[in-house]
Amino acid sequence: MGKQGVFKPGLEGVIAGETNISFLDTEAEQIVIKGYDLIELAEQKTYLDLVYLLLQDKLPDPMELKGIESALKSAYELPGGIYTILKSLPNNTHPMDALRTGISALAGYDPELNDRSQAANRSKALRLIAQVPNITANSYRILHQKNVITPDKQLSFSQNFLYMLTEKEPTPQETAVFDQTLMLYSEHEMPNSTFAARVIASTNTDIYGAFTGAAASLKGHLHGGANEAVMYMLLEGETKSGFCKLIEHKLSRKEKIMGFGHRVYMRKMDPRAALLKKALYSLSHKTGRQDLYEMCDAGEKLMREEKGLYPNLDYYAAPVYYLLGIPIDLYTPIFFAARSVGLSAHVIEQHEDNRLFRPRVHYTGPRHLHP
């Protein structure tokens, strides 16, 4: 390779940056968030605890937690012009495209748009964390000719988000499970969308531009769209035996089975998936849909035996969201809404200690041609 250096397709294994936000310790099977194990946080804390941790570098005390919830609730409402823009989109617009459009349009309404200070970036981050769920729910409603739904400030953050998605006030169990999924999707080191956000932020552009690029990245089925694909596969299988036959058929055709495998975890189960499997078990028994749990468990065993692959988070998030009554087309936008806090932390960190991303290439074209 000479002076060109070593080429790694997809940058696999390449260290692309330094961060104090999170780390995937595959040896210890831990997802480290600001020094804490994400699974322990998801079992003992709430999404808003994690929001505070990622933006303020410490877990909040009760007063601080109350303060950040109040700040988020005060920022729920969208500028009227955002609804006008969303209503102008074609009805066949993909929900992720509608979400991306809404986020991009928010930039023009932010008085601190061009302020890159840490304080201003944290304020913008809170507004995005508050408003992305609103755009997620209402862009979908607008695309389906439904009336806009107003956030209910009497509900907790996660309870309100789920209420806006389903039009019914969730039970404490449903809220707890949904809150846990938000935590598990919140931050995951340097996946494609986070890397995209940091590359964009490295030009010293604003946080809305970075979020817009990240949303475009997450739309792809190799990244965020897998949870939707898993649910459609479960519905197509219908029964435990039907689901296993469907997987076997896809394997015989050398098709990728969505919800399995991970670039980082490789031959180990995603610890987030293991936690959501427990949540699915509880929720499926509560709703009388044990068949969904049994289908997923059977598919997990089949893939481990046939391919040595383990489920990732999307595999168990899909049936959990289904049992919560969430439309399948919203699974990926919810992923993005949950990840908003992680993206915010990365953009803030990039702006604080910035260097423009400018990699080189391994050139494979011709040389020494002349006209």
Side-chain angles (χ1 to χ4, degrees):
M1 300 290 291
K3 294 181 180 180
Q4 286 187 299
V6 178
F7 169 55
K8 295 288 186 72
L11 300 182
E12 185 166 352
V14 173
I15 304 300
E18 290 186 334
T19 183
N20 65 14
I21 298 169
S22 68
F23 173 63
L24 307 186
D25 188 339
T26 55
E27 295 301 318
E29 297 186 36
Q30 276 192 337
I31 302 169
V32 181
I33 307 288
K34 293 287 183 178
Y36 295 91
D37 182 345
L38 175 62
I39 303 305
E40 289 184 3
L41 289 172
E43 289 176 326
Q44 301 176 34
K45 296 294 183 179
T46 68
Y47 182 68
L48 292 194
D49 286 298
L50 192 52
V51 168
Y52 195 94
L53 173 63
L54 282 166
L55 296 184
Q56 300 291 344
D57 298 328
K58 75 182 189 74
L59 286 171
D61 61 32
M63 286 299 293
E64 290 166 333
L65 186 62
K66 185 177 180 180
I68 199 166
E69 183 171 30
S70 177
L72 288 168
K73 288 182 177 181
S74 68
Y76 276 165
E77 300 295 342
L78 296 173
I82 300 299
Y83 293 117
T84 302
I85 291 169
L86 294 175
K87 289 175 181 177
S88 72
L89 297 176
N91 292 337
N92 64 348
T93 300
H94 190 285
M96 280 301 292
D97 292 336
L99 177 59
R100 183 187 66 204
T101 300
I103 291 170
S104 180
L106 276 177
Y109 294 93
D110 198 315
E112 297 181 292
L113 179 64
N114 296 313
D115 188 342
R116 304 290 184 271
S117 68
Q118 185 183 85
N121 271 343
R122 282 177 175 168
S123 295
K124 285 177 281 189
L126 284 176
R127 287 193 283 276
L128 278 162
I129 294 165
Q131 293 173 348
V132 167
N134 193 337
I135 298 174
T136 297
N138 277 316
S139 62
Y140 182 84
R141 293 181 64 82
I142 289 169
L143 291 173
H144 289 80
Q145 295 83 51
K146 293 183 178 182
N147 293 329
V148 168
I149 191 168
T150 303
D152 188 340
K153 296 181 181 180
Q154 300 304 309
L155 305 177
S156 70
F157 179 87
S158 296
Q159 194 177 21
N160 171 67
F161 190 6
L162 186 52
Y163 155 70
M164 294 184 72
L165 295 168
T166 64
E167 290 189 83
K168 65 181 183 70
E169 186 173 327
T171 66
Q173 182 193 26
E174 290 169 336
T175 300
V177 169
F178 184 65
D179 186 86
Q180 194 171 74
T181 70
L182 297 183
M183 294 185 78
L184 296 176
Y185 270 126
S186 65
E187 167 57 20
H188 207 228
E189 195 194 88
M190 196 72 82
N192 191 286
S193 54
T194 302
F195 185 50
R198 292 197 72 134
V199 170
I200 294 167
S202 79
T203 69
N204 204 34
T205 193
D206 60 85
I207 192 171
Y208 295 95
F211 265 58
T212 302
S217 164
L218 197 66
K219 178 186 175 184
H221 72 274
L222 292 182
H223 187 8
N227 49 18
E228 298 176 21
V230 168
M231 196 61 234
Y232 285 121
M233 194 165 61
L234 284 166
L235 292 175
E236 184 179 350
E238 294 186 333
T239 64
K240 183 168 70 173
S241 61
F243 185 54
C244 288
K245 287 179 181 178
L246 178 61
I247 291 176
E248 290 171 343
H249 176 69
K250 287 180 176 293
L251 289 176
S252 70
R253 295 168 59 89
K254 300 189 183 302
E255 295 180 21
K256 181 178 177 63
I257 309 298
M258 305 307 291
F260 287 91
H262 193 281
R263 179 74 71 85
V264 176
Y265 299 117
M266 301 296 283
R267 299 295 177 177
K268 294 182 179 180
M269 186 171 181
D270 185 334
R272 302 170 302 169
L275 185 58
L276 267 201
K277 184 178 182 179
K278 296 178 184 178
L280 176 62
Y281 180 86
S282 174
L283 199 59
S284 66
H285 281 72
K286 183 74 173 180
T287 58
R289 288 301 309 267
Q290 296 96 322
D291 59 313
L292 267 180
Y293 177 85
E294 292 167 359
M295 288 169 68
C296 289
D297 185 56
E300 176 187 336
K301 291 175 181 175
L302 176 62
M303 286 296 290
R304 184 169 63 247
E305 293 168 358
E306 293 294 322
K307 302 295 291 184
L309 292 176
Y310 294 85
N312 55 43
L313 175 58
D314 294 315
Y315 184 71
Y316 281 108
V320 164
Y321 284 157
Y322 187 78
L323 292 182
L324 290 174
I326 299 171
I328 297 173
D329 288 349
L330 284 176
Y331 293 3
T332 305
I334 292 168
F335 179 167
F336 187 87
R339 185 60 58 84
S340 292
V341 63
L343 292 171
S344 295
H346 279 278
V347 171
I348 292 169
E349 185 179 63
Q350 188 67 43
H351 280 166
E352 288 176 349
D353 185 20
N354 188 48
R355 183 169 176 81
L356 178 70
F357 278 94
R358 190 9 180 130
R360 297 297 307 280
V361 302
H362 174 213
Y363 177 68
T364 60
R367 294 286 303 275
H368 309 301
L369 300 179
H370 300 283

